[in-house]
């Protein structure tokens, strides 16, 4: 594993140092049919080219990536099994974060299920698939409105009290939910969709920074017209000599000291491009100009 300077690290939960660019493993999956976009990918079964997926995960660790994000809903648990095949016994301080709380009745359905007994069962299955006795970071994939938040977070707290979970996180929540959960047990992370062009969770980013909570933006690389040729992002990338994807990640790293982007890809070349954004720094003027040039949505 490549050594990463401490300036590019964050202490997850106050005691678990991780590099500030992780890897989102969701993309290492196939569907029943080709996806039209990453947002529409079915993430239904393990990748047909398993050897390439294993090689990509191992290359990520070689590059210094030590936070791998997955979920029991990705390929119905096969994503967790793939990570274990590639990286177990997780040498070099690799942290695997997984999520529970969503069921997959079909390739296109993602249904929250927060029954406390179900959450605890899924954590037990994740432990087996990841081949660990304790999950470093267990996140509630979605809050289920049919069950009290206290019961759902309480199930994760019970797992932590039993020594099966080290840190607890949430996904797709607002400040009020994050604050309520924090009254039940310490929350180490929050994982929401966020990037230069998609900024509806600005208050959560700020709250996380104020309270030392890791903010893990998924789909962190701005796409579409905001990142295309001639766009403000492309112009900024050219100005500082990086790719638009790297400039997009650099903006996130500059946005808050607790932000840890987790870009996903099935390409080793794109993986290497993403990790190379870690030392890229925007000046205050460049950051402000880029923030103003791309209207938040």
């Amino acid at each position: 594993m490549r050594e990463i300077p401490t300036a590019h690290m964050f202490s997850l939960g106050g005691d678990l140092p991780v590099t500030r660019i992780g890897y989102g493993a969701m993309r290492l999956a196939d569907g029943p049919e080709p996806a039209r976009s990453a947002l529409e990918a079915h993430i239904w079964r393990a990748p047909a080219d398993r050897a390439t997926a294993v090689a990509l995960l191992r290359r990520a660790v070689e590059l210094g990536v030590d936070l791998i994000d997955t979920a029991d809903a990705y390929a119905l648990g096969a994503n967790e099994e793939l990570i274990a095949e590639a990286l177990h016994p997780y040498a070099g301080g690799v942290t695997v974060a997984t999520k529970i709380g969503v069921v997959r009745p079909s390739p296109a359905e993602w249904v929250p299920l927060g029954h406390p007994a179900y959450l605890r069962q899924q954590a037990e299955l994740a432990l087996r698939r990841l081949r660990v006795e304790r999950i470093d970071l267990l996140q509630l994939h979605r809050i289920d409105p049919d069950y009290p938040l206290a019961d759902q977070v309480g199930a994760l707290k019970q797992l932590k009290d039993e020594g099966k979970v080290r840190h607890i996180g949430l996904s797709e929540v607002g400040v009020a939910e994050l604050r309520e959960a924090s009254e039940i047990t310490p929350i180490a992370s929050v994982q929401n969709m966020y990037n230069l062009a998609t900024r509806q969770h600005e208050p959560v980013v700020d709250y996380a920074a104020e309270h030392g909570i890791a903010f893990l933006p998924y789909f962190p690389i701005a796409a579409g017209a905001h990142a295309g040729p001639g766009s403000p992002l492309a112009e900024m990338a050219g100005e500082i000599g990086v790719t638009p994807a790297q400039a997009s990640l650099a903006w996130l790293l500059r946005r808050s000291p607790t932000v840890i982007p987790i870009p996903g890809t099935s390409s080793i070349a794109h993986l290497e491009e993403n990790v190379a954004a870690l030392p890229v720094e925007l000046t205050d003027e460049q950051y402000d100009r880029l923030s103003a040039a791309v209207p938040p949505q």
Side-chain angles (χ1 to χ4, degrees):
M1 175 183 286
R2 181 169 64 98
E3 186 174 349
I4 302 296
T6 55
H8 298 150
M9 306 286 290
F10 176 78
S11 187
L12 186 67
D15 63 4
L16 189 56
V18 295
T19 304
R20 285 191 64 207
I21 289 184
Y23 175 74
M26 185 181 75
R27 295 287 296 278
L28 297 182
D30 290 336
E33 58 188 30
R36 290 176 294 180
S37 71
L39 287 171
E40 297 175 344
H42 288 156
I43 322 299
W44 185 242
R45 57 174 63 97
D49 189 352
R50 197 174 188 90
T52 295
V54 166
L56 185 144
L57 286 163
R58 292 174 177 170
R59 179 58 178 154
V61 173
E62 289 174 357
L63 293 169
V65 175
D66 53 11
L67 176 61
I68 309 295
D69 178 79
T70 183
D72 69 342
Y74 298 166
L76 302 179
N79 199 260
E80 292 173 330
E81 293 172 344
L82 179 70
I83 289 169
E85 177 183 337
L87 302 179
H88 186 269
Y90 311 111
V94 172
T95 293
V96 178
T98 193
K99 297 180 288 294
I100 56 174
V102 166
V103 294
R104 304 289 310 281
S106 73
E109 292 180 274
W110 301 72
V111 182
L113 179 54
H115 190 295
Y118 173 76
L119 296 176
R120 290 168 53 213
Q121 171 188 282
Q122 293 308 105
E124 294 288 351
L125 291 173
L127 286 164
R128 295 183 189 184
R129 288 190 290 254
L130 292 170
R131 306 180 202 170
V132 295
E133 296 183 357
R134 182 178 68 171
I135 297 170
D136 288 324
L137 176 61
L138 182 64
Q139 302 171 102
L140 185 62
H141 205 155
R142 291 293 185 272
I143 293 175
D144 183 349
D146 290 338
Y147 297 91
L149 176 60
D151 290 353
Q152 296 173 70
V153 175
L156 274 61
K157 181 180 184 298
Q158 180 178 344
L159 291 160
K160 183 177 180 180
D161 292 342
E162 293 170 351
K164 297 173 181 178
V165 169
R166 182 170 182 174
H167 292 299
I168 294 171
L170 304 173
S171 182
E172 280 301 309
V173 296
V175 170
E177 296 160 320
L178 183 53
R179 184 180 292 115
E180 181 182 349
S182 297
E183 294 175 354
I184 301 165
T185 188
I187 300 300
S189 71
V190 57
Q191 185 174 146
N192 289 1
M193 184 174 177
Y194 184 80
N195 59 53
L196 174 63
T198 307
R199 289 186 251 167
Q200 71 269 34
H201 290 298
E202 295 278 21
V204 181
V205 177
D206 292 335
Y207 182 91
E210 292 168 6
H211 294 82
I213 298 171
F215 184 91
L216 312 180
Y218 68 87
F219 291 120
I221 297 174
H226 299 297
S231 67
L233 180 60
E235 291 176 0
M236 178 65 69
E239 178 180 321
I240 60 180
V242 299
T243 67
Q246 290 170 336
S248 188
L249 291 169
W251 181 88
L252 283 172
L253 293 171
R254 173 65 175 73
R255 171 64 180 84
S256 161
T258 74
V259 164
I260 306 173
I262 48 170
T265 180
S266 58
S267 161
I268 289 180
H270 288 161
L271 168 71
E272 293 173 344
E273 176 186 352
N274 293 338
V275 176
L278 192 59
V280 177
E281 294 185 7
L282 301 179
T283 66
D284 290 345
E285 187 276 332
Q286 289 169 333
Y287 172 81
D288 291 341
R289 178 156 42 101
L290 189 54
S291 299
V294 178
Q297 298 178 356

